[in-house]
Amino acid sequence: MDNQDSGNFMKSLSRFIVDKRKAFYLIFTIAVIFSIKSIDKVKINNDITAYLPQETETRRGVDIMSKEFETFSSAQIMITNISYEKAKEFSDDFAEIDGVLQVTFDNTKDSYRDSSAMIAVMFKGTSEDELVNEAMDKINAMLEGYDTYILSDVGFDQAAVLAQEMQTILVIAAVVIAAVLLFTSKSYLEIGVFLIVFGVSAILNMGTNFIFGEISFITNSIAVVLQLALAIDYAIIFCHRYMEEREKMPAYDAVVESLSKAIVEISSSSLTTISGLIALMLMQLRIGFDMGIVLTKGILCSLLTVFLLMPGLLVLFSKGMDKTRHRNFVPKITLWGKFVVSTRYVLPPIFAVILVFSTVFSNKCDFVFSVNNIDTDNPNIPRIAQDKIQSVFGQNNMIAMLVPKEDYEKQKRVIKDMLELPEIKSATALSNIKIDDTHYVTDRLTPRQFSELAGIDIELARLLYQAYGVSNKEYGVMFQNVDEYSAPLIKVFLFLLDQKEKGIISFNEEQEEMLGGMYDQLKYGLAQLEGDNYARLVFVADIAEEGQETYDLIERMKDTAQPYYDEPVIIVGNSTSAKDLSESFAMDNIKISILTLLFVMVILLFTFKSVGLPIMLVTTIQGSIFINFSFPYIMGTNLYFLGYLIVSAIQMGATIDYAIVITNRYQELKKTLNKSDAIIETLNQAFPTVFTSGTIMTVAGFLIGGLSTDPTIGSFGKVLGRGTLISIILVMTVLPQILYLGDKIIEKTAITLSKSKNKQFIKDIVVVDGRIKGKVSGYLDGDFRGVITGDIDAQLETKNKTEKDNIEKQECDEEDDKEDIVKGAEEDNEEAEK
């Protein structure tokens, strides 16, 4: 399809969209209503370990625990400036609350030091259970007036807090967007059109997320703001083109004309952003796919809204937009352009030096892989409590070990060996839960010992043991002295309860009360610590959640436990999660960097048909990325690894658009202006676009970073805002200078296609019916029918085969002859139009 056919197709498509605008109103109204109702169907996953690759140890362990064990909620309650006696009184009171399973507090340094008490509470359920939340409310009521720090998932709904924060951020972002659009728009009502388009596209994206089943809490929280920031260019490009065309034609024609031009331009602009998101989707850590697919869908929703809904809105509000026009608030930045030109030999060398150092510094960035270790200026309530507790009582790093079940003697030996490791503070397993002061639930008891403990008749105990032995195919108990037969207390006890439920055995009131208390301990202990195939041993270590020392401890724990078992033991916890994430990070980092660069380079290569130019653009934006990620090293802070992976992809994909805008305008302007004037005028023309899009993304990032108390999302927003700001500064200073200095390189590395045989230099008068691409006392590229008087140095693509039928070249010495030719050509055109 040649350019003329393509242009005609776009015109026809645009006219169809505008003509059917009422149908599109109806379609989008239905889609918005459906999406609003579907938003609540989207499931949110708050567990980042769910996105680990299946083969990682953490993912396998989490899957096993979710199938075989129940994990009840707990709370670490630190009370400052309190006596030991009063803290003990509180712990006893907590134990009496309905919904509390177990309270741990004693006169050791792990429970009381520096006039501060640490009371550990375990509940009979999860944070969703009403009974558990009522228990926490009672604990809070008891502690009223005391200085407390409570670390628990009970009573603190992080999802609700995050949703509230993002609503606040969205409102503030909307105000900022409106202010920026007011500054760069030409009509007040233009802003209303923008807000409708943004709102519809955001709702469509949120409402269609249910097709993925579930999305991560990170994606759910920031997708809306990022979608607006990433896709805002599309509506601005279309609207600005419409306002230009509206100056010379009616509203309907202006929309058709501007849409036919904007479709290609906007589609091309979106490719670099989508390429960065595609690279993100190829991460080994599947949360990259989660965010990439949702944001890609968001961009597609934005494109559809701009192409299909916005044309009708422009026609609908055209009269209002005409009446609410205002003066241009965007200033000319000629002085800035002159500064850029005058420092063209100064700033690029400085940039090169900064680029070298920032590359080194960014590689020294302290990456963290546990959300509990992210440096944050705006901590949430659990993070404040965690930091305070650790400052007084040290680390309480919980590590779970999954081993084959049932051999309780092995469990006891493993626990004994583990407690000899200096970092391990405590251990919990079914084999070390006490039923009273002398007996553990897994102790092997004889019938007489069991009868004394359970308060049942010895003969009944003997019959019970014989029945238990037969049920476990241990038939020898029927033929030997049953008093010498022993079995684990927990197994016999559960068998006893089973017989009671079947009505085979009955107990008196005193026995019922005693057995009921034992049953509670055993039931909850068994649910948490023993499954169908695995037993869970839980250790508390005084060590950081991540770091080489922690990873070495994990290996020592494996080496200690593995000799007792034929099957591999599995260790699960925040530390193993951090270890697995750190290992996947190295591969994902390389993959995203290479793929993003490759995708963007290919797109730029086809866009500019030059080898040198894409390298200059990518160097500038990649430089902004290196500078961005050198800040954590310079400031002595850490950086959450996910923020680096996501922002590096988005920053490259999105902000390369700014570089493309600068480059396109400079390439056009330098054909008619000298290089210095072309740079100055380029910055004047590109400033509104770069300022609008860049400011919105920068503000959105800093708003997320400053207002969100979630450390993951806060870290992400701060890095995105800073990176976008750096990209804006570089494309408005260093990039134009690089283009100026590298002009010859661009020309020499241009990919030159075979030149058209129609390239001609013609003087005087030419009658043309076809396409002109070249200079005609200026530069033209388009279809033309008429007469040109002047010099032509251009490619002439004519409609007919022979040059004679399309171009009539006349050399006239006298003015009268020239006028006759012009007049004749005009008559031919008029007749052809008829």
Side-chain angles (χ1 to χ4, degrees):
M1 181 183 291
D2 61 29
N3 289 330
Q4 185 171 356
D5 291 338
S6 177
N8 291 336
F9 172 76
M10 285 301 172
K11 283 281 184 65
S12 300
L13 177 62
S14 301
R15 190 170 290 107
F16 171 81
I17 292 172
V18 177
D19 288 342
K20 303 298 181 183
R21 58 188 179 276
K22 292 183 179 179
F24 286 119
Y25 293 157
L26 178 61
I27 292 172
F28 275 93
T29 300
I30 295 172
V32 167
I33 294 173
F34 172 79
S35 296
I36 290 174
K37 292 184 177 181
S38 299
I39 290 175
D40 291 337
K41 297 180 182 179
V42 180
K43 296 180 181 178
I44 309 302
N45 191 333
N46 295 304
D47 181 14
I48 193 173
T49 60
Y51 297 94
L52 282 167
Q54 290 286 349
E55 64 273 10
T56 59
E57 183 174 19
T58 301
R59 181 62 186 274
R60 288 187 290 118
V62 168
D63 289 344
I64 291 172
M65 289 197 300
S66 64
K67 293 176 183 177
E68 299 205 8
F69 303 98
E70 291 184 39
T71 302
F72 298 140
S73 291
S74 61
Q76 295 181 38
I77 303 172
M78 176 179 167
I79 312 171
T80 62
N81 301 315
I82 189 173
S83 67
Y84 173 80
E85 290 73 18
K86 185 61 180 177
K88 178 62 175 167
E89 183 181 330
F90 272 130
S91 69
D92 293 339
D93 291 340
F94 293 165
E96 298 299 321
I97 297 175
D98 190 20
V100 172
L101 174 64
Q102 181 181 342
V103 177
T104 303
F105 180 76
D106 54 38
N107 192 14
T108 64
K109 287 187 177 182
D110 290 335
S111 294
Y112 188 83
R113 69 171 69 177
D114 299 334
S115 299
S116 296
M118 167 63 69
I119 303 175
V121 177
M122 181 173 291
F123 298 98
K124 294 180 179 179
T126 64
S127 59
E128 289 81 21
D129 294 340
E130 184 177 351
L131 182 64
V132 172
N133 282 277
E134 289 175 356
M136 179 58 82
D137 290 338
K138 292 176 181 178
I139 290 174
N140 285 323
M142 291 179 180
L143 295 172
E144 188 173 356
Y146 284 84
D147 187 13
T148 60
Y149 298 89
I150 301 177
L151 181 58
S152 175
D153 60 342
V154 181
F156 180 78
D157 190 345
Q158 176 66 12
V161 172
L162 192 55
Q164 182 62 44
E165 290 174 352
M166 295 312 299
Q167 288 177 7
T168 303
I169 291 170
L170 198 56
V171 170
I172 298 174
V175 173
V176 172
I177 289 173
V180 172
L181 293 176
L182 175 63
F183 181 72
T184 58
S185 65
K186 296 181 180 179
S187 167
Y188 292 113
L189 195 55
E190 195 178 311
I191 300 171
V193 174
F194 284 140
L195 294 180
I196 292 173
V197 171
F198 299 156
V200 169
S201 61
I203 290 172
L204 291 179
N205 193 36
M206 288 190 294
T208 53
N209 283 335
F210 77 92
I211 64 178
F212 303 128
E214 66 178 19
I215 62 175
S216 72
F217 74 100
I218 298 176
T219 302
N220 183 63
S221 300
I222 63 177
V224 176
V225 180
L226 273 185
Q227 181 187 353
L228 296 184
L230 289 172
I232 196 169
D233 285 351
Y234 312 149
I236 293 173
I237 291 171
F238 182 22
C239 192
H240 284 184
R241 278 202 172 275
Y242 164 75
M243 297 300 284
E244 291 173 4
E245 300 294 341
R246 184 71 182 90
E247 299 284 349
K248 50 192 177 184
M249 60 180 69
Y252 174 90
D253 296 331
V255 173
V256 172
E257 184 68 24
S258 56
L259 180 60
S260 65
K261 296 176 180 177
I263 288 176
V264 177
E265 184 177 353
I266 292 171
S267 299
S268 301
S269 176
S270 67
L271 284 178
T272 54
T273 306
I274 292 176
S275 68
L277 296 175
I278 290 174
L280 202 61
M281 291 163 61
L282 298 176
M283 281 174 56
Q284 185 179 6
L285 184 64
R286 300 304 291 168
I287 200 168
F289 180 86
D290 181 77
M291 178 166 285
I293 194 70
V294 171
L295 285 177
T296 299
K297 179 166 63 66
I299 289 176
L300 294 177
C301 288
S302 297
L303 288 173
L304 289 174
T305 308
V306 169
F307 291 156
L308 301 180
L309 178 62
M310 191 172 175
L313 295 177
L314 291 176
V315 173
L316 182 64
F317 294 112
S318 59
K319 292 182 179 179
M321 291 174 66
D322 292 340
K323 292 178 181 179
T324 58
R325 281 179 174 266
H326 58 74
R327 68 181 182 86
N328 188 7
F329 298 126
V330 181
K332 290 286 186 181
I333 56 170
T334 303
L335 288 177
W336 176 258
K338 291 180 178 178
F339 168 77
V340 170
V341 172
S342 64
T343 57
R344 62 187 181 276
Y345 296 111
V346 179
L347 294 183
I350 294 176
F351 169 69
V353 174
I354 293 175
L355 181 59
V356 172
F357 279 99
S358 62
T359 303
V360 175
F361 292 161
S362 64
N363 287 326
K364 292 184 177 181
C365 184
D366 180 19
F367 293 107
V368 293
F369 304 90
S370 171
V371 295
N372 295 325
N373 291 334
I374 301 174
D375 289 336
T376 175
D377 299 325
N378 190 23
N380 54 25
I381 294 174
R383 179 60 183 272
I384 294 172
Q386 172 194 289
D387 292 345
K388 186 66 175 179
I389 290 171
Q390 288 183 358
S391 68
V392 177
F393 291 96
Q395 304 277 353
N396 283 299
N397 185 0
M398 193 169 292
I399 303 172
M401 177 181 290
L402 304 180
V403 299
K405 76 166 200 174
E406 297 229 348
D407 195 330
Y408 301 121
E409 293 303 317
K410 286 184 180 180
Q411 284 188 28
K412 289 180 180 179
R413 292 197 294 271
V414 169
I415 290 173
K416 180 178 179 296
D417 292 347
M418 289 295 178
L419 290 174
E420 292 178 359
L421 297 176
E423 298 90 348
I424 302 299
K425 296 167 64 174
S426 64
T428 302
L430 202 62
S431 58
N432 72 344
I433 294 179
K434 285 188 174 182
I435 202 72
D436 59 19
D437 292 338
T438 58
H439 295 96
Y440 292 92
V441 299
T442 58
D443 285 348
R444 298 186 70 88
L445 303 183
T446 63
R448 181 170 296 281
Q449 290 172 321
F450 184 81
S451 70
E452 293 172 355
L453 179 65
I456 64 175
D457 184 75
I458 181 60
E459 293 301 327
L460 178 60
R462 288 168 178 160
L463 290 174
L464 178 68
Y465 266 63
Q466 286 179 329
Y468 172 80
V470 172
S471 69
N472 285 276
K473 298 181 180 180
E474 297 177 4
Y475 302 109
V477 70
M478 298 292 295
F479 306 104
Q480 67 182 34
N481 185 358
V482 69
D483 288 336
E484 297 178 359
Y485 179 70
S486 66
L489 167 61
I490 188 172
K491 299 300 183 183
V492 176
F493 184 80
L494 293 176
F495 181 76
L496 172 64
L497 292 179
D498 182 60
Q499 300 304 303
K500 174 182 172 294
E501 289 178 1
K502 292 178 180 179
I504 300 174
I505 300 175
S506 62
F507 302 106
N508 59 38
E509 185 176 340
E510 184 180 348
Q511 289 172 330
E512 286 275 4
E513 183 178 350
M514 186 186 67
L515 292 172
M518 293 175 60
Y519 176 67
D520 277 347
Q521 282 187 302
L522 294 176
K523 179 181 72 172
Y524 291 110
L526 195 65
Q528 294 186 91
L529 300 173
E530 188 169 274
D532 294 333
N533 302 292
Y534 289 89
R536 178 162 62 177
L537 318 181
V538 181
F539 303 96
V540 176
D542 184 9
I543 196 170
E545 286 190 354
E546 61 180 296
Q548 194 56 51
E549 289 185 4
T550 304
Y551 304 152
D552 291 342
L553 172 63
I554 292 173
E555 294 304 317
R556 279 187 284 136
M557 292 176 68
K558 282 185 181 179
D559 293 341
T560 302
Q562 191 58 66
Y564 291 102
Y565 299 99
D566 295 330
E567 297 179 27
V569 298
I570 300 173
I571 296 182
V572 190
N574 289 341
S575 293
T576 57
S577 174
K579 183 173 182 288
D580 289 335
L581 290 172
S582 66
E583 292 171 354
S584 68
F585 169 70
M587 181 63 68
D588 284 337
N589 187 20
I590 296 172
K591 184 186 296 184
I592 288 178
S593 299
I594 293 176
L595 290 178
T596 304
L597 285 173
L598 180 63
F599 292 154
V600 171
M601 286 289 290
V602 170
I603 292 170
L604 294 177
L605 188 63
F606 279 96
T607 301
F608 294 109
K609 297 181 176 61
S610 169
V611 176
L613 194 52
I615 295 175
M616 294 178 186
L617 269 59
V618 168
T619 300
T620 305
I621 300 301
Q622 187 63 52
S624 71
I625 294 173
F626 285 142
I627 294 172
N628 185 19
F629 291 112
S630 66
F631 271 76
Y633 174 77
I634 295 171
M635 298 170 66
T637 60
N638 60 37
L639 177 63
Y640 190 50
F641 81 105
L642 200 57
Y644 178 85
L645 293 175
I646 292 174
V647 172
S648 60
I650 291 179
Q651 187 179 346
M652 171 62 78
T655 60
I656 196 73
D657 282 350
Y658 310 153
I660 292 173
V661 169
I662 297 286
T663 305
N664 271 332
R665 293 189 182 274
Y666 173 69
Q667 291 286 83
E668 290 295 321
L669 289 170
K670 76 175 184 178
K671 294 172 182 175
T672 56
L673 301 173
N674 62 56
K675 290 195 294 184
S676 296
D677 292 339
I679 290 293
I680 295 171
E681 186 58 27
T682 292
L683 293 175
N684 271 324
Q685 293 183 15
F687 175 67
T689 302
V690 175
F691 173 82
T692 305
S693 177
T695 300
I696 290 173
M697 182 173 282
T698 301
V699 171
F702 282 132
L703 279 175
I704 294 172
L707 297 181
S708 177
T709 58
D710 184 277
T712 305
I713 294 171
S715 172
F716 173 82
K718 182 168 62 177
V719 174
L720 178 64
R722 184 175 63 215
T724 306
L725 180 60
I726 294 170
S727 294
I728 294 172
I729 293 172
L730 290 183
V731 298
M732 293 296 289
T733 53
V734 176
L735 178 61
Q737 295 171 334
I738 292 176
L739 294 175
Y740 184 106
L741 299 174
D743 198 63
K744 290 184 179 179
I745 297 175
I746 295 172
E747 292 181 358
K748 289 183 178 180
T749 58
I751 300 174
T752 305
L753 302 177
S754 57
K755 294 186 177 180
S756 172
K757 296 180 180 179
N758 292 331
K759 178 77 181 283
Q760 302 179 38
F761 180 80
I762 307 172
K763 295 177 67 72
D764 292 332
I765 299 172
V766 179
V767 179
V768 179
D769 184 10
R771 180 171 182 240
I772 298 177
K773 182 179 181 181
K775 293 184 178 181
V776 186
S777 296
Y779 187 85
L780 298 179
D781 184 359
D783 296 328
F784 183 84
R785 174 183 290 175
V787 178
I788 297 175
T789 303
D791 298 340
I792 299 177
D793 182 8
Q795 295 177 13
L796 302 180
E797 297 177 7
T798 59
K799 293 183 177 179
N800 298 321
K801 295 289 185 181
T802 62
E803 187 174 334
K804 182 178 179 180
D805 294 333
N806 294 280
I807 301 177
E808 299 178 8
K809 180 176 178 297
Q810 301 290 338
E811 294 183 357
C812 302
D813 297 329
E814 297 181 355
E815 190 68 21
D816 292 341
D817 293 339
K818 292 182 179 180
E819 291 178 358
D820 290 341
I821 294 173
V822 172
K823 185 176 179 181
E826 290 175 346
E827 290 175 353
D828 291 342
N829 287 338
E830 290 176 1
E831 188 170 344
E833 290 176 357
K834 292 179 182 179

